[in-house]
Every structure is written in C-alpha cells, then in structure tokens.
Amino acid sequence: YKQINRVFFMKIRQFLDLHPKRNTKGVYRAGIFDFLDFIYGRVRKGKRATKKEMEEYERLADKYFEEGRDHFDDLLKFIAHMNGGPPIGQKAKIAGVKEFLSYYGVEFTQRQLKQLSTKMPKGKTARTAEKDVDTDTLRKILAHADLKLKALVLTLASSGMRIGEALQIKLEDVDLSKTPAEIVVRGEYTKSGDTRTVFISREAKEALKEWLKIRENYLKSAKNRNKGLVDKAEAKEKPIEDNRLFPFSDRNVREMWERALKKAGLWNKDNSTGRSQIRIHALRKFFRSQLALACPVDIVEALMGHEGYLTEAYRRGG
C-alpha cells in the first residue's frame, strides 16, 4: 500500500520538475491546485498547502485522470470561474493547467483550443492600481527596513533585476571587489534564458557588505525559528548551507516589504485585488526611469534582461 501511494503521489511533482524556473513552477502549481479545488472542493485551509494537503492534491490528480471526465468541459468551466481575477496571473495559471493535462495525454482539437482562447480572462495588465516608487518613497521605505531587506531593495533598485532573479543569485555570482560592483545573472535564473551582467550602486554595495557579515547568523536563526513548522509538517526544513546571496523565499520578501510599508505609513490596499499598491516589482520601473535619464534606452533594456535589445557582441562590449 505504501509503495502504491508513493507512485500515486507523483503526478503533479513529476510535471513541475519539467520546469526549472522557480516562478513558473510556483504559478503552475497554484493553477493545478486551483483547478483541483474547482473540481473537488477546496483542499487548502491557508494560502499555502501543507505537506498533507499536497499529498491530497496528488491523490486528487490521480483520481481526476482515472474518472473518464470531460476534460474540455472541465477546463472551459474552470476558465469561466477564473475570470474576474488579475488577468496576467490567471492566464498563467490556466496555461499551467493546459500543459498539465497535455502532459498526461489530454488532447484538444483546434476548434476546442479556439473556444478556450475566446473565454480567457481579458486584459494584458494587472488589475492592481499600482503606484510608482520615486526617490522620496524609496528613502522612506529604507528607513524602516532591516539590513537584509535594505540590501535586497538597494540591489534591485540599482540593478534592474527581477525579484525572482535576485532570489536565485549565488554568492559566487557577486563581485564586490570591482567598481561598480558586478553581479552575474545566469541564464538559468532569467526569463529569457540569457546570461547577463548587472551593476549595483555604491550604496547597494556597502549594504551587501554589511548583510554578508550577518548572513550566516541569519541562516542559523532562521533554521531554529522554522523548526516548529517543520515538526508540524507545515514547512520544509531550511538548509543552513544555502549558497544564495539572499537565502529567503518570495513570500518572506513580500512579508518584509509589507511590514516596511506599514511602518513608513505607505501601505495602501487596492480595493479591487486587496494587494498593496506599492509592490517590490516597482523597483524595476524605478531603475528604468532613473537610468533612462543618462543612458540610451537600448542599454537600459539590455541591463534589465529584455530580449531584442542590442546585439550579443555589443552586450559583451565587443
């Protein structure tokens, strides 16, 4: 029985293992969970699934493919159910579900695919009315940030990296001996799959130096704080040998960011989505607007990792 269970509890994980990028994996997992919740009723009690809840999702995934259901009708109704949320996120989740079904042999006709596309959530932007970050706003946030958040925020604001990229940077990718300091953003971290080098400000460099002095102690204390959740099977054990520059999760960052905004008196919730109107992603816009004052747009876009800007030789300085 245990051996059968181990085989059963693999469908979702096996599919997700095909997607090495953390953000893609996270969005697709959320989409599959939402889909199974829609079909069978909500499994998760909180925002994140516990270990037992993940096992239940794996059991439901097996059940779903064994029941001989009308997959097209299920997906059509699921898309209708997803309408009303932020269109970009909902489209990504639906794409994950479609890939998941396809991976396990569910094929749709061209006519069905066309029908599905006409029902997709409308809109190309997030529904949260976001506010931009300017120098004054950034200064207020940093005044209420601890050392690890300060180092991360200054790195993002002066490099143009995506948060998903920054949270995968390894210690060996960082060279603080140079002026300006350099960070190699490897292809396995990036949206485009291309490796690029970014630069950070003197202030960010100094913040990183201070952060690196306490980083090991942070890992030790984080491991101890996490022990209770691990014992309850509500979280994974934090590895003390984590070699990332910023060894925490996207969720941790959002919580730290939210606390800093509230302390600074900048927390404003969007009435439509319930999300903060000042998001950490806005630091990429801040980088772009600041650098665009002194650099050609092609250089700015290339530093941000956008495809289609500059030739490869130009980016390498050739």
PDB file of all heavy atoms in Angstrom, residues 254-287:
ATOM      1  N   ARG A 254       7.869  39.434   0.426  1.00  0.00           N
ATOM      2  CA  ARG A 254       6.595  40.175   0.423  1.00  0.00           C
ATOM      3  C   ARG A 254       6.197  40.586   1.834  1.00  0.00           C
ATOM      4  O   ARG A 254       5.702  41.690   2.058  1.00  0.00           O
ATOM      5  CB  ARG A 254       5.491  39.321  -0.215  1.00  0.00           C
ATOM      6  CG  ARG A 254       5.609  39.163  -1.721  1.00  0.00           C
ATOM      7  CD  ARG A 254       4.297  38.702  -2.338  1.00  0.00           C
ATOM      8  NE  ARG A 254       3.807  37.464  -1.753  1.00  0.00           N
ATOM      9  CZ  ARG A 254       4.124  36.253  -2.185  1.00  0.00           C
ATOM     10  NH1 ARG A 254       4.946  36.126  -3.218  1.00  0.00           N
ATOM     11  NH2 ARG A 254       3.628  35.183  -1.624  1.00  0.00           N
ATOM     12  N   GLU A 255       6.429  39.682   2.799  1.00  0.00           N
ATOM     13  CA  GLU A 255       6.083  39.988   4.190  1.00  0.00           C
ATOM     14  C   GLU A 255       6.967  41.103   4.742  1.00  0.00           C
ATOM     15  O   GLU A 255       6.483  42.012   5.417  1.00  0.00           O
ATOM     16  CB  GLU A 255       6.209  38.723   5.050  1.00  0.00           C
ATOM     17  CG  GLU A 255       5.135  37.689   4.758  1.00  0.00           C
ATOM     18  CD  GLU A 255       5.400  36.360   5.454  1.00  0.00           C
ATOM     19  OE1 GLU A 255       6.508  36.196   6.016  1.00  0.00           O
ATOM     20  OE2 GLU A 255       4.495  35.497   5.440  1.00  0.00           O
ATOM     21  N   MET A 256       8.287  41.044   4.444  1.00  0.00           N
ATOM     22  CA  MET A 256       9.201  42.093   4.904  1.00  0.00           C
ATOM     23  C   MET A 256       8.853  43.433   4.262  1.00  0.00           C
ATOM     24  O   MET A 256       8.872  44.476   4.919  1.00  0.00           O
ATOM     25  CB  MET A 256      10.652  41.709   4.560  1.00  0.00           C
ATOM     26  CG  MET A 256      11.205  40.543   5.366  1.00  0.00           C
ATOM     27  SD  MET A 256      12.976  40.299   5.085  1.00  0.00           S
ATOM     28  CE  MET A 256      13.017  39.639   3.418  1.00  0.00           C
ATOM     29  N   TRP A 257       8.566  43.411   2.974  1.00  0.00           N
ATOM     30  CA  TRP A 257       8.209  44.610   2.221  1.00  0.00           C
ATOM     31  C   TRP A 257       6.939  45.241   2.794  1.00  0.00           C
ATOM     32  O   TRP A 257       6.868  46.454   3.005  1.00  0.00           O
ATOM     33  CB  TRP A 257       8.027  44.240   0.756  1.00  0.00           C
ATOM     34  CG  TRP A 257       7.633  45.344  -0.177  1.00  0.00           C
ATOM     35  CD1 TRP A 257       6.395  45.559  -0.718  1.00  0.00           C
ATOM     36  CD2 TRP A 257       8.475  46.378  -0.716  1.00  0.00           C
ATOM     37  NE1 TRP A 257       6.411  46.641  -1.561  1.00  0.00           N
ATOM     38  CE2 TRP A 257       7.678  47.161  -1.576  1.00  0.00           C
ATOM     39  CE3 TRP A 257       9.816  46.697  -0.564  1.00  0.00           C
ATOM     40  CZ2 TRP A 257       8.178  48.254  -2.273  1.00  0.00           C
ATOM     41  CZ3 TRP A 257      10.318  47.795  -1.264  1.00  0.00           C
ATOM     42  CH2 TRP A 257       9.498  48.552  -2.098  1.00  0.00           C
ATOM     43  N   GLU A 258       5.953  44.400   3.072  1.00  0.00           N
ATOM     44  CA  GLU A 258       4.688  44.890   3.617  1.00  0.00           C
ATOM     45  C   GLU A 258       4.886  45.525   4.993  1.00  0.00           C
ATOM     46  O   GLU A 258       4.323  46.586   5.283  1.00  0.00           O
ATOM     47  CB  GLU A 258       3.679  43.737   3.715  1.00  0.00           C
ATOM     48  CG  GLU A 258       2.305  44.164   4.193  1.00  0.00           C
ATOM     49  CD  GLU A 258       1.303  43.025   4.207  1.00  0.00           C
ATOM     50  OE1 GLU A 258       1.279  42.247   3.222  1.00  0.00           O
ATOM     51  OE2 GLU A 258       0.557  42.897   5.194  1.00  0.00           O
ATOM     52  N   ARG A 259       5.701  44.901   5.831  1.00  0.00           N
ATOM     53  CA  ARG A 259       5.966  45.465   7.157  1.00  0.00           C
ATOM     54  C   ARG A 259       6.631  46.835   7.051  1.00  0.00           C
ATOM     55  O   ARG A 259       6.272  47.769   7.771  1.00  0.00           O
ATOM     56  CB  ARG A 259       6.854  44.516   7.978  1.00  0.00           C
ATOM     57  CG  ARG A 259       6.121  43.329   8.578  1.00  0.00           C
ATOM     58  CD  ARG A 259       6.944  42.697   9.685  1.00  0.00           C
ATOM     59  NE  ARG A 259       8.214  42.176   9.204  1.00  0.00           N
ATOM     60  CZ  ARG A 259       8.395  40.942   8.743  1.00  0.00           C
ATOM     61  NH1 ARG A 259       7.361  40.109   8.684  1.00  0.00           N
ATOM     62  NH2 ARG A 259       9.578  40.534   8.344  1.00  0.00           N
ATOM     63  N   ALA A 260       7.604  46.951   6.152  1.00  0.00           N
ATOM     64  CA  ALA A 260       8.310  48.221   5.971  1.00  0.00           C
ATOM     65  C   ALA A 260       7.359  49.302   5.460  1.00  0.00           C
ATOM     66  O   ALA A 260       7.414  50.458   5.908  1.00  0.00           O
ATOM     67  CB  ALA A 260       9.483  48.041   5.009  1.00  0.00           C
ATOM     68  N   LEU A 261       6.470  48.949   4.528  1.00  0.00           N
ATOM     69  CA  LEU A 261       5.499  49.914   4.014  1.00  0.00           C
ATOM     70  C   LEU A 261       4.573  50.410   5.121  1.00  0.00           C
ATOM     71  O   LEU A 261       4.280  51.605   5.211  1.00  0.00           O
ATOM     72  CB  LEU A 261       4.658  49.274   2.896  1.00  0.00           C
ATOM     73  CG  LEU A 261       5.332  49.010   1.550  1.00  0.00           C
ATOM     74  CD1 LEU A 261       4.356  48.322   0.609  1.00  0.00           C
ATOM     75  CD2 LEU A 261       5.846  50.291   0.918  1.00  0.00           C
ATOM     76  N   LYS A 262       4.110  49.481   5.950  1.00  0.00           N
ATOM     77  CA  LYS A 262       3.195  49.859   7.035  1.00  0.00           C
ATOM     78  C   LYS A 262       3.882  50.766   8.043  1.00  0.00           C
ATOM     79  O   LYS A 262       3.303  51.759   8.508  1.00  0.00           O
ATOM     80  CB  LYS A 262       2.650  48.603   7.710  1.00  0.00           C
ATOM     81  CG  LYS A 262       1.637  47.856   6.850  1.00  0.00           C
ATOM     82  CD  LYS A 262       1.121  46.599   7.526  1.00  0.00           C
ATOM     83  CE  LYS A 262       0.045  45.927   6.662  1.00  0.00           C
ATOM     84  NZ  LYS A 262      -0.436  44.662   7.261  1.00  0.00           N
ATOM     85  N   LYS A 263       5.139  50.447   8.387  1.00  0.00           N
ATOM     86  CA  LYS A 263       5.893  51.284   9.333  1.00  0.00           C
ATOM     87  C   LYS A 263       6.143  52.673   8.754  1.00  0.00           C
ATOM     88  O   LYS A 263       6.181  53.665   9.487  1.00  0.00           O
ATOM     89  CB  LYS A 263       7.217  50.615   9.683  1.00  0.00           C
ATOM     90  CG  LYS A 263       7.076  49.394  10.583  1.00  0.00           C
ATOM     91  CD  LYS A 263       8.431  48.772  10.868  1.00  0.00           C
ATOM     92  CE  LYS A 263       8.304  47.551  11.754  1.00  0.00           C
ATOM     93  NZ  LYS A 263       9.636  46.911  11.999  1.00  0.00           N
ATOM     94  N   ALA A 264       6.316  52.738   7.448  1.00  0.00           N
ATOM     95  CA  ALA A 264       6.582  54.017   6.783  1.00  0.00           C
ATOM     96  C   ALA A 264       5.299  54.793   6.494  1.00  0.00           C
ATOM     97  O   ALA A 264       5.356  55.924   5.989  1.00  0.00           O
ATOM     98  CB  ALA A 264       7.341  53.776   5.479  1.00  0.00           C
ATOM     99  N   GLY A 265       4.153  54.194   6.793  1.00  0.00           N
ATOM    100  CA  GLY A 265       2.876  54.848   6.517  1.00  0.00           C
ATOM    101  C   GLY A 265       2.528  54.887   5.046  1.00  0.00           C
ATOM    102  O   GLY A 265       1.785  55.762   4.594  1.00  0.00           O
ATOM    103  N   LEU A 266       3.056  53.917   4.290  1.00  0.00           N
ATOM    104  CA  LEU A 266       2.851  53.888   2.833  1.00  0.00           C
ATOM    105  C   LEU A 266       1.963  52.740   2.377  1.00  0.00           C
ATOM    106  O   LEU A 266       1.792  52.524   1.179  1.00  0.00           O
ATOM    107  CB  LEU A 266       4.214  53.775   2.123  1.00  0.00           C
ATOM    108  CG  LEU A 266       5.167  54.958   2.312  1.00  0.00           C
ATOM    109  CD1 LEU A 266       6.556  54.609   1.772  1.00  0.00           C
ATOM    110  CD2 LEU A 266       4.627  56.211   1.636  1.00  0.00           C
ATOM    111  N   TRP A 267       1.417  51.997   3.329  1.00  0.00           N
ATOM    112  CA  TRP A 267       0.606  50.828   2.960  1.00  0.00           C
ATOM    113  C   TRP A 267      -0.772  51.278   2.485  1.00  0.00           C
ATOM    114  O   TRP A 267      -1.535  51.903   3.206  1.00  0.00           O
ATOM    115  CB  TRP A 267       0.476  49.882   4.142  1.00  0.00           C
ATOM    116  CG  TRP A 267      -0.522  48.776   3.935  1.00  0.00           C
ATOM    117  CD1 TRP A 267      -1.772  48.683   4.474  1.00  0.00           C
ATOM    118  CD2 TRP A 267      -0.360  47.597   3.134  1.00  0.00           C
ATOM    119  NE1 TRP A 267      -2.395  47.531   4.059  1.00  0.00           N
ATOM    120  CE2 TRP A 267      -1.549  46.853   3.232  1.00  0.00           C
ATOM    121  CE3 TRP A 267       0.675  47.115   2.340  1.00  0.00           C
ATOM    122  CZ2 TRP A 267      -1.726  45.637   2.582  1.00  0.00           C
ATOM    123  CZ3 TRP A 267       0.485  45.900   1.682  1.00  0.00           C
ATOM    124  CH2 TRP A 267      -0.691  45.173   1.805  1.00  0.00           C
ATOM    125  N   ASN A 268      -1.083  50.988   1.234  1.00  0.00           N
ATOM    126  CA  ASN A 268      -2.394  51.263   0.663  1.00  0.00           C
ATOM    127  C   ASN A 268      -2.871  50.019  -0.064  1.00  0.00           C
ATOM    128  O   ASN A 268      -2.194  49.533  -0.972  1.00  0.00           O
ATOM    129  CB  ASN A 268      -2.332  52.443  -0.323  1.00  0.00           C
ATOM    130  CG  ASN A 268      -2.246  53.772   0.386  1.00  0.00           C
ATOM    131  OD1 ASN A 268      -3.105  54.113   1.177  1.00  0.00           O
ATOM    132  ND2 ASN A 268      -1.190  54.512   0.112  1.00  0.00           N
ATOM    133  N   LYS A 269      -4.034  49.519   0.317  1.00  0.00           N
ATOM    134  CA  LYS A 269      -4.562  48.297  -0.299  1.00  0.00           C
ATOM    135  C   LYS A 269      -5.482  48.648  -1.453  1.00  0.00           C
ATOM    136  O   LYS A 269      -6.347  49.507  -1.338  1.00  0.00           O
ATOM    137  CB  LYS A 269      -5.311  47.474   0.747  1.00  0.00           C
ATOM    138  CG  LYS A 269      -5.714  46.092   0.274  1.00  0.00           C
ATOM    139  CD  LYS A 269      -6.150  45.208   1.435  1.00  0.00           C
ATOM    140  CE  LYS A 269      -7.468  45.640   2.014  1.00  0.00           C
ATOM    141  NZ  LYS A 269      -7.987  44.669   3.006  1.00  0.00           N
ATOM    142  N   ASP A 270      -5.267  47.969  -2.585  1.00  0.00           N
ATOM    143  CA  ASP A 270      -6.133  48.157  -3.739  1.00  0.00           C
ATOM    144  C   ASP A 270      -7.515  47.568  -3.436  1.00  0.00           C
ATOM    145  O   ASP A 270      -7.636  46.425  -2.998  1.00  0.00           O
ATOM    146  CB  ASP A 270      -5.530  47.469  -4.970  1.00  0.00           C
ATOM    147  CG  ASP A 270      -6.369  47.670  -6.214  1.00  0.00           C
ATOM    148  OD1 ASP A 270      -6.188  48.690  -6.882  1.00  0.00           O
ATOM    149  OD2 ASP A 270      -7.213  46.800  -6.503  1.00  0.00           O
ATOM    150  N   ASN A 271      -8.558  48.336  -3.659  1.00  0.00           N
ATOM    151  CA  ASN A 271      -9.913  47.888  -3.326  1.00  0.00           C
ATOM    152  C   ASN A 271     -10.366  46.703  -4.168  1.00  0.00           C
ATOM    153  O   ASN A 271     -11.189  45.902  -3.739  1.00  0.00           O
ATOM    154  CB  ASN A 271     -10.906  49.041  -3.499  1.00  0.00           C
ATOM    155  CG  ASN A 271     -10.708  50.124  -2.470  1.00  0.00           C
ATOM    156  OD1 ASN A 271     -10.282  49.844  -1.341  1.00  0.00           O
ATOM    157  ND2 ASN A 271     -11.012  51.366  -2.831  1.00  0.00           N
ATOM    158  N   SER A 272      -9.842  46.599  -5.377  1.00  0.00           N
ATOM    159  CA  SER A 272     -10.254  45.529  -6.281  1.00  0.00           C
ATOM    160  C   SER A 272      -9.575  44.200  -5.973  1.00  0.00           C
ATOM    161  O   SER A 272     -10.220  43.159  -5.910  1.00  0.00           O
ATOM    162  CB  SER A 272      -9.959  45.928  -7.729  1.00  0.00           C
ATOM    163  OG  SER A 272     -10.244  44.867  -8.610  1.00  0.00           O
ATOM    164  N   THR A 273      -8.243  44.240  -5.765  1.00  0.00           N
ATOM    165  CA  THR A 273      -7.489  42.989  -5.608  1.00  0.00           C
ATOM    166  C   THR A 273      -7.062  42.709  -4.172  1.00  0.00           C
ATOM    167  O   THR A 273      -6.679  41.587  -3.858  1.00  0.00           O
ATOM    168  CB  THR A 273      -6.220  43.013  -6.476  1.00  0.00           C
ATOM    169  OG1 THR A 273      -5.356  44.064  -6.018  1.00  0.00           O
ATOM    170  CG2 THR A 273      -6.566  43.252  -7.937  1.00  0.00           C
ATOM    171  N   GLY A 274      -7.104  43.727  -3.310  1.00  0.00           N
ATOM    172  CA  GLY A 274      -6.659  43.532  -1.934  1.00  0.00           C
ATOM    173  C   GLY A 274      -5.148  43.547  -1.786  1.00  0.00           C
ATOM    174  O   GLY A 274      -4.622  43.281  -0.705  1.00  0.00           O
ATOM    175  N   ARG A 275      -4.427  43.849  -2.867  1.00  0.00           N
ATOM    176  CA  ARG A 275      -2.967  43.857  -2.834  1.00  0.00           C
ATOM    177  C   ARG A 275      -2.430  45.266  -2.569  1.00  0.00           C
ATOM    178  O   ARG A 275      -3.114  46.254  -2.785  1.00  0.00           O
ATOM    179  CB  ARG A 275      -2.412  43.351  -4.173  1.00  0.00           C
ATOM    180  CG  ARG A 275      -2.683  41.888  -4.450  1.00  0.00           C
ATOM    181  CD  ARG A 275      -2.060  41.485  -5.774  1.00  0.00           C
ATOM    182  NE  ARG A 275      -2.200  40.061  -6.030  1.00  0.00           N
ATOM    183  CZ  ARG A 275      -1.714  39.456  -7.108  1.00  0.00           C
ATOM    184  NH1 ARG A 275      -1.050  40.161  -8.018  1.00  0.00           N
ATOM    185  NH2 ARG A 275      -1.876  38.160  -7.277  1.00  0.00           N
ATOM    186  N   SER A 276      -1.179  45.293  -2.136  1.00  0.00           N
ATOM    187  CA  SER A 276      -0.527  46.575  -1.910  1.00  0.00           C
ATOM    188  C   SER A 276      -0.383  47.330  -3.226  1.00  0.00           C
ATOM    189  O   SER A 276      -0.083  46.737  -4.266  1.00  0.00           O
ATOM    190  CB  SER A 276       0.863  46.353  -1.301  1.00  0.00           C
ATOM    191  OG  SER A 276       1.609  47.547  -1.318  1.00  0.00           O
ATOM    192  N   GLN A 277      -0.569  48.635  -3.177  1.00  0.00           N
ATOM    193  CA  GLN A 277      -0.432  49.435  -4.390  1.00  0.00           C
ATOM    194  C   GLN A 277       1.034  49.779  -4.678  1.00  0.00           C
ATOM    195  O   GLN A 277       1.362  50.219  -5.767  1.00  0.00           O
ATOM    196  CB  GLN A 277      -1.256  50.714  -4.263  1.00  0.00           C
ATOM    197  CG  GLN A 277      -2.757  50.455  -4.323  1.00  0.00           C
ATOM    198  CD  GLN A 277      -3.556  51.737  -4.315  1.00  0.00           C
ATOM    199  OE1 GLN A 277      -3.412  52.576  -3.432  1.00  0.00           O
ATOM    200  NE2 GLN A 277      -4.417  51.906  -5.302  1.00  0.00           N
ATOM    201  N   ILE A 278       1.890  49.600  -3.684  1.00  0.00           N
ATOM    202  CA  ILE A 278       3.328  49.779  -3.907  1.00  0.00           C
ATOM    203  C   ILE A 278       3.978  48.404  -3.804  1.00  0.00           C
ATOM    204  O   ILE A 278       4.135  47.853  -2.714  1.00  0.00           O
ATOM    205  CB  ILE A 278       3.958  50.741  -2.874  1.00  0.00           C
ATOM    206  CG1 ILE A 278       3.273  52.106  -2.928  1.00  0.00           C
ATOM    207  CG2 ILE A 278       5.449  50.893  -3.137  1.00  0.00           C
ATOM    208  CD1 ILE A 278       3.797  53.101  -1.908  1.00  0.00           C
ATOM    209  N   ARG A 279       4.320  47.836  -4.938  1.00  0.00           N
ATOM    210  CA  ARG A 279       4.869  46.481  -4.971  1.00  0.00           C
ATOM    211  C   ARG A 279       6.373  46.528  -5.213  1.00  0.00           C
ATOM    212  O   ARG A 279       6.891  47.458  -5.827  1.00  0.00           O
ATOM    213  CB  ARG A 279       4.169  45.656  -6.063  1.00  0.00           C
ATOM    214  CG  ARG A 279       2.657  45.577  -5.845  1.00  0.00           C
ATOM    215  CD  ARG A 279       1.973  44.824  -6.945  1.00  0.00           C
ATOM    216  NE  ARG A 279       2.361  43.425  -6.935  1.00  0.00           N
ATOM    217  CZ  ARG A 279       1.999  42.536  -7.872  1.00  0.00           C
ATOM    218  NH1 ARG A 279       1.272  42.945  -8.902  1.00  0.00           N
ATOM    219  NH2 ARG A 279       2.386  41.296  -7.802  1.00  0.00           N
ATOM    220  N   ILE A 280       7.050  45.490  -4.734  1.00  0.00           N
ATOM    221  CA  ILE A 280       8.507  45.479  -4.847  1.00  0.00           C
ATOM    222  C   ILE A 280       8.941  45.437  -6.313  1.00  0.00           C
ATOM    223  O   ILE A 280      10.040  45.884  -6.653  1.00  0.00           O
ATOM    224  CB  ILE A 280       9.111  44.309  -4.042  1.00  0.00           C
ATOM    225  CG1 ILE A 280      10.596  44.582  -3.759  1.00  0.00           C
ATOM    226  CG2 ILE A 280       8.881  42.967  -4.730  1.00  0.00           C
ATOM    227  CD1 ILE A 280      11.182  43.734  -2.653  1.00  0.00           C
ATOM    228  N   HIS A 281       8.073  44.949  -7.174  1.00  0.00           N
ATOM    229  CA  HIS A 281       8.370  44.937  -8.618  1.00  0.00           C
ATOM    230  C   HIS A 281       8.546  46.356  -9.154  1.00  0.00           C
ATOM    231  O   HIS A 281       9.210  46.569 -10.177  1.00  0.00           O
ATOM    232  CB  HIS A 281       7.246  44.227  -9.378  1.00  0.00           C
ATOM    233  CG  HIS A 281       7.452  44.168 -10.856  1.00  0.00           C
ATOM    234  ND1 HIS A 281       8.360  43.304 -11.448  1.00  0.00           N
ATOM    235  CD2 HIS A 281       6.904  44.883 -11.876  1.00  0.00           C
ATOM    236  CE1 HIS A 281       8.345  43.491 -12.755  1.00  0.00           C
ATOM    237  NE2 HIS A 281       7.476  44.434 -13.043  1.00  0.00           N
ATOM    238  N   ALA A 282       7.969  47.352  -8.444  1.00  0.00           N
ATOM    239  CA  ALA A 282       8.075  48.734  -8.886  1.00  0.00           C
ATOM    240  C   ALA A 282       9.521  49.229  -8.871  1.00  0.00           C
ATOM    241  O   ALA A 282       9.840  50.246  -9.503  1.00  0.00           O
ATOM    242  CB  ALA A 282       7.213  49.638  -8.001  1.00  0.00           C
ATOM    243  N   LEU A 283      10.404  48.508  -8.184  1.00  0.00           N
ATOM    244  CA  LEU A 283      11.811  48.902  -8.155  1.00  0.00           C
ATOM    245  C   LEU A 283      12.454  48.752  -9.534  1.00  0.00           C
ATOM    246  O   LEU A 283      13.420  49.445  -9.850  1.00  0.00           O
ATOM    247  CB  LEU A 283      12.582  48.066  -7.117  1.00  0.00           C
ATOM    248  CG  LEU A 283      12.153  48.297  -5.658  1.00  0.00           C
ATOM    249  CD1 LEU A 283      12.867  47.311  -4.738  1.00  0.00           C
ATOM    250  CD2 LEU A 283      12.428  49.739  -5.230  1.00  0.00           C
ATOM    251  N   ARG A 284      11.925  47.851 -10.365  1.00  0.00           N
ATOM    252  CA  ARG A 284      12.419  47.725 -11.744  1.00  0.00           C
ATOM    253  C   ARG A 284      12.055  48.974 -12.551  1.00  0.00           C
ATOM    254  O   ARG A 284      12.846  49.475 -13.351  1.00  0.00           O
ATOM    255  CB  ARG A 284      11.840  46.474 -12.409  1.00  0.00           C
ATOM    256  CG  ARG A 284      12.870  45.366 -12.560  1.00  0.00           C
ATOM    257  CD  ARG A 284      12.216  44.068 -12.957  1.00  0.00           C
ATOM    258  NE  ARG A 284      11.926  43.935 -14.369  1.00  0.00           N
ATOM    259  CZ  ARG A 284      12.815  43.608 -15.305  1.00  0.00           C
ATOM    260  NH1 ARG A 284      14.079  43.434 -14.988  1.00  0.00           N
ATOM    261  NH2 ARG A 284      12.449  43.459 -16.563  1.00  0.00           N
ATOM    262  N   LYS A 285      10.842  49.475 -12.332  1.00  0.00           N
ATOM    263  CA  LYS A 285      10.423  50.713 -13.002  1.00  0.00           C
ATOM    264  C   LYS A 285      11.282  51.883 -12.526  1.00  0.00           C
ATOM    265  O   LYS A 285      11.640  52.763 -13.312  1.00  0.00           O
ATOM    266  CB  LYS A 285       8.947  50.998 -12.709  1.00  0.00           C
ATOM    267  CG  LYS A 285       7.961  50.046 -13.371  1.00  0.00           C
ATOM    268  CD  LYS A 285       6.540  50.500 -13.072  1.00  0.00           C
ATOM    269  CE  LYS A 285       5.518  49.558 -13.675  1.00  0.00           C
ATOM    270  NZ  LYS A 285       4.119  49.978 -13.344  1.00  0.00           N
ATOM    271  N   PHE A 286      11.572  51.876 -11.216  1.00  0.00           N
ATOM    272  CA  PHE A 286      12.406  52.930 -10.657  1.00  0.00           C
ATOM    273  C   PHE A 286      13.782  52.925 -11.317  1.00  0.00           C
ATOM    274  O   PHE A 286      14.295  53.971 -11.725  1.00  0.00           O
ATOM    275  CB  PHE A 286      12.553  52.727  -9.142  1.00  0.00           C
ATOM    276  CG  PHE A 286      13.509  53.678  -8.476  1.00  0.00           C
ATOM    277  CD1 PHE A 286      13.104  54.956  -8.120  1.00  0.00           C
ATOM    278  CD2 PHE A 286      14.817  53.298  -8.203  1.00  0.00           C
ATOM    279  CE1 PHE A 286      13.979  55.847  -7.509  1.00  0.00           C
ATOM    280  CE2 PHE A 286      15.701  54.176  -7.594  1.00  0.00           C
ATOM    281  CZ  PHE A 286      15.287  55.454  -7.246  1.00  0.00           C
ATOM    282  N   PHE A 287      14.370  51.735 -11.445  1.00  0.00           N
ATOM    283  CA  PHE A 287      15.679  51.589 -12.094  1.00  0.00           C
ATOM    284  C   PHE A 287      15.614  52.125 -13.518  1.00  0.00           C
ATOM    285  O   PHE A 287      16.486  52.887 -13.955  1.00  0.00           O
ATOM    286  CB  PHE A 287      16.095  50.124 -12.099  1.00  0.00           C
ATOM    287  CG  PHE A 287      17.268  49.818 -12.998  1.00  0.00           C
ATOM    288  CD1 PHE A 287      18.568  50.031 -12.564  1.00  0.00           C
ATOM    289  CD2 PHE A 287      17.072  49.311 -14.284  1.00  0.00           C
ATOM    290  CE1 PHE A 287      19.649  49.755 -13.390  1.00  0.00           C
ATOM    291  CE2 PHE A 287      18.145  49.030 -15.112  1.00  0.00           C
ATOM    292  CZ  PHE A 287      19.440  49.253 -14.667  1.00  0.00           C
TER     293      PHE A 287
END
